[in-house]
Amino acid sequence: MSSLTGIAASNGIAIAKAYKLAIPDLSFEKKNVEDTNSEVDRLTKALDISKSELEKIKEHARTSLGDEHAEIFSAHLLVLSDPELINPIEDKIKTDSVNAEFALDETAQMFIQMFENMENEYMRERAADIKDVTKRVMAHLLDVSFPNPALIDEQVVVIAEDLTPSDTAQLNKQFVQGFTTNIGGRTSHSAIMARSLEIPAVVGTKDVTEQVKQGDILIVDGIDGEVIINPSEEQVKSYQQKQEDFEKQKQEWAKLKDEPSVSKDGHHVELVANIGTPNDVEGVLNNGGEGVGLYRTEFLYMGKNELPTEDEQFDAYKSVLEQMGEKPVVVRTLDIGGDKELPYLELPEEMNPFLGFRAIRLCLERDDIFRTQLRALLRASTYGNLKIMFPMIATLDEFRQAKALLLEEKDKLTQEGTDVSDDIEIGIMVEIPSTAVIARQFAKEVDFFSIGTNDLIQYTLAADRMNERVSYLYQPYHPAILNLVHNVIEAAHAEGKWAGMCGEMAGDSIAIPILLALGLDEFSMSATSILPARTQIKDLSKEELASYKEQLLSMNTADDVEAFVREKTNQ
Ligand code: PEP
Ligand code: MG
């Protein structure tokens, strides 16, 4: 028995055997074969198994994530049925009398190089498809198991160096009890998705993939950030108890599902949810969300080979708005970059992706992409209570440009005779310190602010949110952060606007009393955090907390802030 400590990324306890998501060793030797027919048969069998796996994965992606995510697997299936690729492999086996592994690798490499050197972006993407499917076929030829997160059909804990958002989205909640990774932080996007899928997770363990063997029994404690490897019977029992207590607590929280979020002294705040796909709306409603405070639209663009069309986007936005009825839905325009990549845009690699060409910067330059999204949003606006916000705004000029494009598209649609709602609020995310500092100037022009602390903290303390080695500097309660947040809220209120927060800090039990004291209007968090937050707020007095405001803002360190809040709120 040994244990590892990481970052508690998603609540709950998982106990199951380890399933390593690592590409197996696919090395092979070139062999001369006499019976080339049976070699071709081996190839055909490996192709057939690969196809049937991909069919299942595609179906799973379609039902759990929607058509657009399933498309990438259709492209992979096409490759496996393409005679232009398969015939030359068979010919090579027959004419050169070589083994199937060698013929597959030589032929695939030739096509990969050919496609990679092509000018056309679409053709270059085919190289990536061939690389991907060849690995799968090779694994079947070598008879080694190939990881298929979407096909897991027994209870496991998934272990990986890292999980991309689309890996995470493929995990089937019914079987995947939890996951744990070497890298990542509480605000990395795999952690955020784990919370919306309600899978317990511990990230940033540094070396769980080295410490754990396939099939080891693991306990993942997503409440306290611990991973126990091959636990004793006693430990299993005590964690089962912890899990039961957690379930009971959830039942207590659920009692407040249909209640408003009101403090002990009668002040109402809005508790809303962050979502990534229309499928997440069910979880928001089940957890008593009063709206959607952040719809991260980039997942519509990820896990596929091309940009989503206007109609595809319209369908997704309409679906979210309709499901939410009159409740507000804040949709954020495309925020690609940082740890969310779109390989098909072929953007050059950057030294500092989080500080680079991303989000609104990309949208203002690629206004073709941006206008398509804006049109889809405007067309969907009549189906519910839509608010639109722009990410990563650093200057007033960026906001003005983005808003002008939105109004241009609105005019065009109106002229074309398409109905567009007349009262869409237009706001910004405050996640860059420059914007937080001059929030007064912004407040005159925007309808609302949503403070994105996941990025605001990393930029203010210069600490990469993905890098667990500097995670000690990633301090939500740092007085500098509190002062920036305070400045934004005051600026909004001075102009009669509202201020929300959609970074993970909004759902944090130490931060909640501080944010109440500072007067935050809307708290947007993972759906599963809403009921605990509502329970907590019910027992807090906003006015008493507000009397500590100046004291909190002038504290020296994050530790001082935390100790003070713990003492005042008995945590
Ligand atoms: C943020 O930065 O706080 C935020 C909510 O956006 P994201 O986590 O998607 O960068
Ligand atoms: Mg952000």
Side-chain angles (χ1 to χ4, degrees):
M1 186 276 297
S2 58
S3 70
L4 291 169
T5 310
I7 295 162
S10 178
N11 261 344
I13 310 281
I15 307 175
K17 66 178 181 186
Y19 180 97
K20 271 193 179 183
L21 255 196
I23 300 293
D25 179 6
L26 296 178
S27 51
F28 62 90
E29 279 173 27
K30 177 181 177 185
K31 285 188 197 145
N32 287 321
V33 293
E34 278 175 19
D35 184 357
T36 54
N37 283 342
S38 65
E39 210 53 24
V40 171
D41 285 349
R42 280 182 61 227
L43 175 71
T44 312
K45 224 187 199 166
L47 288 169
D48 288 346
I49 303 174
S50 303
K51 279 188 225 165
S52 83
E53 277 177 0
L54 283 168
E55 286 287 0
K56 282 190 212 150
I57 296 173
K58 185 175 129 187
E59 222 17 69
H60 178 268
R62 186 187 310 289
T63 46
S64 62
L65 297 166
D67 284 349
E68 71 267 25
H69 284 272
E71 252 171 53
I72 188 152
F73 302 110
S74 305
H76 288 184
L77 277 162
L78 276 180
V79 172
L80 285 186
S81 308
D82 186 351
E84 298 215 20
L85 173 73
I86 307 305
N87 291 351
I89 307 175
E90 292 183 4
D91 291 348
K92 196 165 192 68
I93 295 175
K94 287 184 187 148
T95 47
D96 297 355
S97 300
V98 287
N99 53 338
E101 289 86 342
F102 181 77
L104 170 71
D105 186 55
E106 286 270 297
T107 315
Q109 290 307 335
M110 185 190 77
F111 278 103
I112 290 166
Q113 271 179 17
M114 190 174 90
F115 284 126
E116 272 178 348
N117 290 330
M118 286 187 179
E119 284 289 310
N120 180 311
E121 188 180 318
Y122 176 81
M123 292 316 239
R124 282 202 304 269
E125 281 158 18
R126 300 287 74 74
D129 290 341
I130 298 176
K131 259 190 215 165
D132 256 31
V133 292
T134 315
K135 280 191 205 139
R136 181 178 298 278
V137 180
M138 186 64 87
H140 289 305
L141 279 173
L142 294 166
D143 209 12
V144 293
S145 71
F146 192 76
N148 287 312
L151 295 186
I152 292 171
D153 59 359
E154 54 178 345
Q155 310 234 313
V156 294
V157 165
V158 168
I159 301 183
E161 168 73 13
D162 187 18
L163 285 171
T164 63
S166 61
D167 282 336
T168 317
Q170 278 190 55
L171 303 179
N172 184 340
K173 237 182 87 175
Q174 196 189 340
F175 300 113
V176 177
Q177 304 292 294
F179 75 75
T180 169
T181 60
N182 289 356
I183 66 168
R186 213 184 131 73
T187 62
S188 58
H189 286 92
S190 55
I192 289 171
M193 295 208 42
R195 287 194 286 282
S196 60
L197 291 165
E198 300 186 32
I199 298 178
V202 174
V203 300
T205 61
K206 297 192 180 72
D207 60 355
V208 67
T209 53
E210 277 155 47
Q211 304 283 338
V212 172
K213 292 191 302 297
Q214 187 84 341
D216 277 351
I217 298 295
L218 292 188
I219 298 178
V220 172
D221 176 354
I223 301 168
D224 289 320
E226 278 199 88
V227 180
I228 321 283
I229 308 167
N230 293 325
S232 66
E233 243 173 68
E234 239 164 76
Q235 278 175 314
V236 171
K237 270 199 199 124
S238 102
Y239 276 93
Q240 278 166 342
Q241 185 59 48
K242 192 167 176 177
Q243 170 70 351
E244 260 176 48
D245 294 346
F246 180 62
E247 290 302 327
K248 274 195 203 128
Q249 172 137 64
K250 282 210 297 201
Q251 284 165 13
E252 276 303 302
W253 290 333
K255 292 183 183 155
L256 291 183
K257 183 172 158 256
D258 300 314
E259 301 290 315
S261 313
V262 185
S263 66
K264 196 165 76 180
D265 53 344
H267 293 274
H268 181 255
V269 291
E270 243 176 285
L271 293 189
V272 295
N274 297 346
I275 63 166
T277 73
N279 291 344
D280 295 340
V281 175
E282 198 187 329
V284 177
L285 297 171
N286 287 341
N287 283 287
E290 294 167 81
V292 168
L294 165 65
Y295 175 4
R296 288 185 166 93
T297 56
E298 35 295 345
F299 296 114
L300 269 169
Y301 294 71
M302 294 165 71
K304 51 190 294 183
N305 282 330
E306 60 197 1
L307 289 164
T309 63
E310 185 182 312
D311 281 346
E312 268 168 6
Q313 295 191 55
F314 167 76
D315 288 344
Y317 306 146
K318 176 173 169 244
S319 154
V320 171
L321 285 162
E322 280 185 336
Q323 291 182 71
M324 291 302 294
E326 284 172 7
K327 295 182 168 136
V329 174
V330 182
V331 180
R332 172 175 77 185
T333 59
L334 181 61
D335 179 16
I336 216 63
D339 66 336
K340 291 170 289 191
E341 292 174 25
L342 285 191
Y344 58 83
L345 285 187
E346 305 248 330
L347 298 170
E349 238 175 67
E350 298 187 336
M351 296 275 281
N352 291 301
F354 275 106
L355 297 182
F357 183 60
R358 57 174 291 200
I360 200 68
R361 303 163 185 192
L362 182 145
C363 285
L364 291 175
E365 190 176 302
R366 288 289 309 267
D367 74 333
D368 53 324
I369 299 177
F370 195 36
R371 284 177 192 272
T372 305
Q373 178 170 41
L374 295 175
R375 284 176 70 85
L377 280 168
L378 290 163
R379 282 173 50 203
S381 65
T382 51
Y383 292 90
N385 182 359
L386 172 69
K387 302 173 197 294
I388 297 175
M389 67 178 171
F390 305 123
M392 297 289 296
I393 294 285
T395 67
L396 256 173
D397 197 42
E398 283 174 335
F399 171 67
R400 289 176 183 154
Q401 282 183 51
K403 182 173 170 182
L405 289 172
L406 179 73
L407 296 181
E408 260 179 55
E409 290 309 317
K410 187 176 172 203
D411 279 350
K412 278 194 224 161
L413 282 166
T414 313
Q415 273 164 29
E416 288 163 21
T418 308
D419 269 355
V420 176
S421 162
D422 259 336
D423 47 23
I424 307 172
E425 290 187 6
I426 306 172
I428 58 167
M429 294 207 41
V430 182
E431 43 191 345
I432 298 183
S434 60
T435 301
V437 171
I438 62 156
R440 283 269 161 161
Q441 288 90 315
F442 275 98
K444 295 192 190 325
E445 301 192 28
V446 304
D447 294 326
F448 66 91
F449 290 127
S450 184
I451 307 169
T453 44
N454 301 344
D455 279 317
L456 186 64
I457 298 167
Q458 76 164 344
Y459 297 138
T460 305
L461 285 121
D464 185 342
R465 66 195 255 188
M466 299 288 288
N467 184 340
E468 72 284 347
R469 297 187 72 170
V470 294
S471 63
Y472 72 98
L473 281 171
Y474 193 88
Q475 300 177 0
Y477 324 131
H478 191 291
I481 300 297
L482 306 193
N483 278 278
L484 288 176
V485 169
H486 177 237
N487 197 46
V488 176
I489 298 171
E490 291 281 292
H493 292 173
E495 294 295 332
K497 313 283 169 69
W498 60 270
M501 178 179 286
C502 59
E504 291 301 311
M505 183 176 174
D508 177 297
S509 64
I510 300 293
I512 285 173
I514 305 174
L515 299 171
L516 263 186
L518 299 182
L520 191 76
D521 303 296
E522 180 234 42
F523 297 61
S524 192
M525 57 192 74
S526 308
T528 48
S529 303
I530 289 176
L531 290 171
R534 187 169 293 153
T535 310
Q536 185 187 9
I537 288 170
K538 199 164 95 13
D539 293 331
L540 294 173
S541 155
K542 180 171 171 176
E543 280 158 39
E544 184 199 331
L545 290 166
S547 72
Y548 307 131
K549 190 163 93 177
E550 293 311 321
Q551 220 175 325
L552 283 163
L553 292 172
S554 53
M555 285 189 174
N556 292 327
T557 68
D559 285 347
D560 293 347
V561 171
E562 182 173 348
F564 183 83
V565 175
R566 282 192 188 281
E567 190 208 310
K568 295 290 177 200
T569 60
N570 301 320
Q571 293 191 63

